[in-house]
Amino acid sequence: MATPSASYEQIAMLVKSMTNFSATRLETAREEEQARLADQKLAELAKQMANEGRIKELHDAFIAARNSLDALPTARASKIVRTLVDACLNAKGQSFNEKEALCVESIEWAKGASLLYLSRSLRSRLVRLYNDIGKNVEASKIAVELAKELRKVDDKELSIEVALEESRAAFMLNNFSKAKTALATARTASHGFYTSATMQAQLDLHSGILYATEDKDYKTAYSYFFEAFEGFVQIGDKERATQALKYMCLVKVMLNESDQIRSLLDSEACQPYVKEKHILAMRELAVAFKERSLARFQKCLETYPSELNDDHVVKGHSSKLHETMLEKEISRIVEPYAAIDIKHICEKVNLPLDRIEKKLGMMILDQTLRGVINQQAGCLSIMSPPPSEDVYLKASDLVRALGKVIDACQQSSTMLFK
């Protein structure tokens, strides 16, 4: 593997060498092949340094190569800068400060070189970075300013990306109305315009998140997550495909269809992702819901904290998940009894008396539990389920059918006696 200094020097020298055959337009097939190989080599070196965590050196290489970049044609210089910045931003688990520094430095250089298109493109990448690291206020501010500029130049491709990032920032700031408006802008701009598979999958994923969180329309959200999953699988993005599959499982839990998660994960398309920790966490969550065990649900949250508690989308549903799990636990406890001491329920779920009484009252009002609370005796009386209405429906159908037979007989008799 190349040493840090060797890779650093290679990038600087490679960019400098490009001026030999790219200062003017390419004329021969050999020069075109040299340019293609140089671009490929630059991308490989930048990716290698980023994966090794040498973001600071990428930044230094960009600074050292700026004089050479000034001598290159605009399009070629822009492509080199985007290659370096994208390699930096795509590196996993690296310092966000160094990524931010490289991105800001690149934007300033592009502005100084009057490369307006490159400047806007890099600013959109900075917005994405800010969203990834939780600087959503800064991301929203830059996105709003950039969206105004893009409306003047009618750059649809970049407009879609910026609107999506603006929606992400607003969502993280709990401004759901603004998030929906920005997403609608992005989806409208994508109509009648070629949108890459990556961008379309990102739009579908964020649409599903908004439908699940704001509108609580879990069936529509599942459809969007499924489309996003297929899109990410198609482009080979395993990380975001896993994320989409995770949210598909979450929606199944919210729809009280956790028993369907097993068949979903057993499908051929999901096999490459079932061993990921995010999917294992959702599988355990589904088992807890199926068994109606609040203790197992709590253990699942403790076992997979980063996959469940640190996920903004899952965390947004955590309170509802806990309430749903508590209802299931209470239903499981009272199921065998005609009457049960409320204190016994408290001991089983390890919650105070007033909390359980309030929850029982809500379940009775919501008709998820048929019973009456006897506060004097401190017990819950369970009522028998109402008789099935199938008998009445069948009797009604029978009377309706007999009526049709009588009408037919009357018509026949009328024809016979004419």
Side-chain angles (χ1 to χ4, degrees), residues 204 218-228 251:
D204 290 334
Y218 298 116
K219 290 186 177 181
T220 303
Y222 183 86
S223 299
Y224 277 117
F225 289 142
F226 182 77
E227 293 292 334
V251 166

Side-chain angles (χ1 to χ4, degrees), residues 71-118:
L72 290 172
T74 300
R76 193 151 182 77
S78 300
K79 184 176 182 181
I80 291 171
V81 174
R82 280 197 297 268
T83 298
L84 294 175
V85 173
D86 286 342
C88 171
L89 297 182
N90 292 332
K92 305 299 181 184
Q94 305 301 334
S95 171
F96 287 113
N97 292 332
E98 294 296 342
K99 291 182 179 183
E100 181 182 1
L102 176 58
C103 209
V104 171
E105 180 77 20
S106 304
I107 293 171
E108 293 302 320
W109 175 83
K111 288 181 178 179
S114 299
L115 301 176
L116 298 180
Y117 176 79
L118 176 61

Side-chain angles (χ1 to χ4, degrees), residues 209-225:
I209 290 173
L210 281 181
Y211 270 99
T213 305
E214 171 64 6
D215 299 331
K216 302 295 186 293
D217 187 352
Y218 298 116
K219 290 186 177 181
T220 303
Y222 183 86
S223 299
Y224 277 117
F225 289 142

Side-chain angles (χ1 to χ4, degrees), residues 268-317:
E268 184 178 353
C270 298
Q271 286 305 300
Y273 311 96
V274 293
K275 294 185 179 180
E276 298 292 326
K277 287 194 70 175
H278 290 278
I279 306 304
L280 293 175
M282 297 311 300
R283 189 190 288 271
E284 284 296 316
L285 198 66
V287 172
F289 268 72
K290 186 175 182 180
E291 294 181 356
R292 298 184 294 178
S293 172
L294 184 61
R296 186 159 187 168
F297 173 74
Q298 295 288 3
K299 184 179 179 180
C300 182
L301 294 179
E302 295 171 1
T303 306
Y304 300 97
S306 60
E307 289 77 16
L308 299 176
N309 296 327
D310 295 344
D311 189 309
H312 188 79
V313 177
V314 177
K315 188 176 181 180
H317 294 84

